[in-house]
């Protein structure tokens, strides 16, 4: 089941440095939301607050609330490890475990959860690889190292690993920035399919990509270097790219800065 994300008054810090300030937004289930904005405006930081990864950085601290449906991820007694299972993440550089086989890479997250019988494990691995549009390319080499795949295949392997534990939300931080155009289109197609099952948030540098894959787009910006990043506006993607409400958004999408 995909879940709704409801963020209110969220700020994030690295030690005393405030990286993002007072962000509020909602993300509907079964939708894709793109985060755009110039480098350093806090897109990655904000994304990592949505699954409690930010606090893993020394000095990393958060104020505010993130509700997943009705549960505050920062509420007392919430287990951050369970949060990271519910809200999965795919990173910029494909990062399969290099010494593990393709099969083991997908099974890795499941084994941590424990309690899967061998046949169940193979079924879930197959289902996840099919879900990531990778099965046909790897079904004859499941026990070869994941590192032998192309960059685009490795990224789909990481997506298979992320969806194997059946999260509710998938966060992707510039998942195509290390990929060639063909592999990028394969991931974009996949994102369109994955939103049937998950709530998806993607950070992208590529404006065309945001326009192609997302339903809603959030524009972030910095008032000045050293200032925290802020959410400037969030709206339907068509609206952001045709008739945004804020001049800074218009300037950014038309390539005047960033
Ligand atoms: N590990 C870190 N330690 C300290 N500051 C960081 C760290 N990561 C990011 N920052 C700072 O947080 C701000 C936002 O960075 P980031 O979230 O990476 O922006 P974006 O993804 O939009 O490029 C920047 O000022 C950056 O220098
Ligand atoms: Mg970033």
């Amino acid at each position: 089941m995909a879940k709704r994300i409801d963020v209110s008054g969220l700020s994030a810090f690295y030690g005393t440095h405030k990286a993002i300030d007072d962000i509020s937004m909602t993300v509907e289930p079964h939708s894709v939301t793109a985060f755009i904005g110039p480098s350093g405006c806090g897109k990655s930081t904000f994304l990592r607050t949505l699954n409690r990864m930010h606090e893993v950085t020394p000095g990393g601290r958060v104020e505010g609330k993130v509700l997943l449906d009705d549960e505050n991820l920062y509420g007392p007694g919430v287990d951050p490890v369970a949060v990271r299972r519910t809200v999965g993440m795919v990173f910029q550089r494909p990062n399969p475990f290099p010494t593990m086989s393709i099969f083991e890479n997908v099974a890795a997250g499941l084994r941590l959860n424990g309690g899967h019988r061998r046949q169940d494990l193979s079924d879930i691995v197959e289902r996840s690889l099919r879900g990531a549009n990778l099965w046909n390319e790897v079904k004859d080499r499941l026990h070869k190292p994941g590192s032998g795949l192309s960059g685009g295949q490795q990224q789909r392997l990481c997506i298979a690993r992320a969806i194997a534990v059946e999260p509710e939300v998938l966060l992707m931080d510039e998942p195509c920035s290390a990929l060639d155009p063909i592999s990028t289109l394969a991931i974009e197609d996949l994102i369109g399919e994955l939103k049937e099952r998950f709530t998806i948030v993607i950070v992208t540098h590529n404006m065309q990509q945001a326009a192609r894959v997302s339903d809603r787009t959030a524009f972030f910006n910095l008032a000045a270097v050293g200032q925290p990043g802020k959410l400037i506006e969030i709206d339907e993607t068509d609206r952001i790219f045709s008739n945004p409400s804020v001049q800074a958004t218009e300037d950014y999408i038309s390539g005047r800065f960033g």
Side-chain angles (χ1 to χ4, degrees), residues 11-234:
S11 300
F13 302 79
Y14 293 96
T16 55
H17 174 63
K18 190 190 247 188
I20 49 171
D21 182 47
D22 195 21
I23 294 176
S24 299
M25 71 163 70
T26 57
V27 176
E28 295 303 324
H30 305 291
S31 70
V32 179
T33 299
F35 291 176
I36 62 169
S39 193
C41 69
K43 304 176 298 296
S44 296
T45 301
F46 181 49
L47 199 70
R48 290 192 301 260
T49 68
L50 302 181
N51 75 344
R52 296 199 55 172
M53 289 260 297
H54 175 64
E55 67 207 52
V56 172
T57 305
R61 185 169 65 80
V62 168
E63 286 173 3
K65 267 197 225 174
V66 179
L67 303 185
L68 203 59
D69 282 355
D70 289 324
E71 187 186 28
N72 181 8
L73 302 186
Y74 289 94
V78 173
D79 174 9
V81 176
V83 170
R84 289 172 207 139
R85 200 148 55 221
T86 307
V87 183
M89 186 134 183
V90 174
F91 300 87
Q92 197 163 349
R93 300 232 152 240
N95 58 347
F97 302 119
T99 58
M100 285 188 193
S101 69
I102 292 166
F103 184 97
E104 291 295 334
N105 259 284
V106 180
L110 295 163
R111 288 208 202 282
L112 291 175
N113 288 351
H116 290 283
R117 286 183 322 195
R118 186 148 197 90
Q119 185 54 44
D120 293 346
L121 207 56
S122 329
D123 289 348
I124 298 169
V125 167
E126 175 172 344
R127 195 177 343 123
S128 306
L129 287 167
R130 285 187 188 280
N133 290 345
L134 188 59
W135 175 252
N136 288 334
E137 291 157 64
V138 302
K139 61 177 193 274
D140 300 322
R141 54 199 280 208
L142 289 176
H143 300 288
K144 301 262 165 59
S147 52
L149 299 173
S150 73
Q153 289 172 325
Q154 287 187 23
Q155 195 58 303
R156 280 178 284 141
L157 178 62
C158 293
I159 292 172
R161 182 175 68 193
I163 65 180
V165 297
E166 303 201 17
E168 325 269 358
V169 177
L170 266 186
L171 308 175
M172 302 185 171
D173 195 350
E174 302 196 35
C176 303
S177 63
L179 305 182
D180 62 80
I182 304 274
S183 309
T184 295
L185 287 178
I187 302 276
E188 290 181 4
D189 286 345
L190 176 57
I191 290 170
E193 293 171 23
L194 292 171
K195 84 171 178 182
E196 311 276 318
R197 290 168 60 196
F198 308 106
T199 306
I200 297 180
V201 182
I202 176 174
V203 175
T204 177
H205 246 99
N206 178 329
M207 237 67 87
Q208 286 76 22
Q209 177 164 79
R212 283 191 299 259
V213 305
S214 72
D215 302 293
R216 305 226 303 158
T217 296
F219 172 62
F220 295 81
N221 201 8
L222 291 165
V225 176
Q227 296 285 306
K230 284 187 164 277
L231 173 62
I232 305 302
E233 64 176 313
I234 175 167

